[in-house]
Amino acid sequence: MGYTTSQTTIVFIVFALVCAFVPAFSVEDAEAISLWDTCLLKISPKCALDIIGVVFENGTITDACCHDLVQEGKVCHNTLIKYIADRPLLVSHETQYLKKSADLWAYCVSISQTA
């Protein structure tokens, strides 16, 4: 029962993020959509929200979420952050978000190597 609830929560979070940041999908976005779906399955909803909080706000991240982020992989991390940062409401600060994303990645890799 807990597993089903967890899956439902993940689906809800993904749906909410997609509705908030993706006004419409086009055929050209098929690869990004596929990667989005694949990548979000590799990380917990809480860690995904923490990562988004660090990059797009002034949030913090735990060591455990850093480990999850590194396990997710750099391609997934970069693609998801870039996809969100390209939204019309955020694009004016995209350079700042991409730098914060790169800083977060470097920090998490260093945390993962010391563990």
Side-chain angles (χ1 to χ4, degrees):
M1 181 181 257
Y3 182 72
T4 304
T5 303
S6 178
Q7 280 188 328
T8 303
T9 302
I10 290 171
V11 168
F12 177 75
I13 289 172
V14 169
F15 179 75
L17 288 172
V18 168
C19 288
F21 293 111
V22 184
F25 292 122
S26 65
V27 174
E28 294 82 26
D29 288 334
E31 184 179 348
I33 293 166
S34 174
L35 198 52
W36 175 280
D37 291 341
T38 302
C39 293
L40 281 178
L41 296 176
K42 295 181 180 180
I43 198 159
S44 73
K46 184 193 179 326
C47 286
L49 292 174
D50 287 351
I51 291 164
I52 291 168
V54 169
V55 174
F56 295 98
E57 297 172 358
N58 290 317
T60 59
I61 192 164
T62 64
D63 289 357
C65 283
C66 268
H67 291 290
D68 287 353
L69 174 61
V70 173
Q71 288 293 337
E72 174 190 48
K74 188 164 179 59
V75 171
C76 281
H77 174 67
N78 289 346
T79 301
L80 293 174
I81 296 301
K82 177 84 170 117
Y83 201 66
I84 293 170
D86 280 345
R87 300 302 102 209
L89 293 173
L90 302 174
V91 75
S92 64
H93 297 287
E94 183 177 15
T95 303
Q96 172 190 351
Y97 298 140
L98 295 179
K99 180 179 180 340
K100 287 176 79 174
S101 173
D103 292 346
L104 174 63
W105 178 261
Y107 171 76
C108 286
V109 167
S110 71
I111 292 294
S112 293
Q113 289 174 346
T114 60

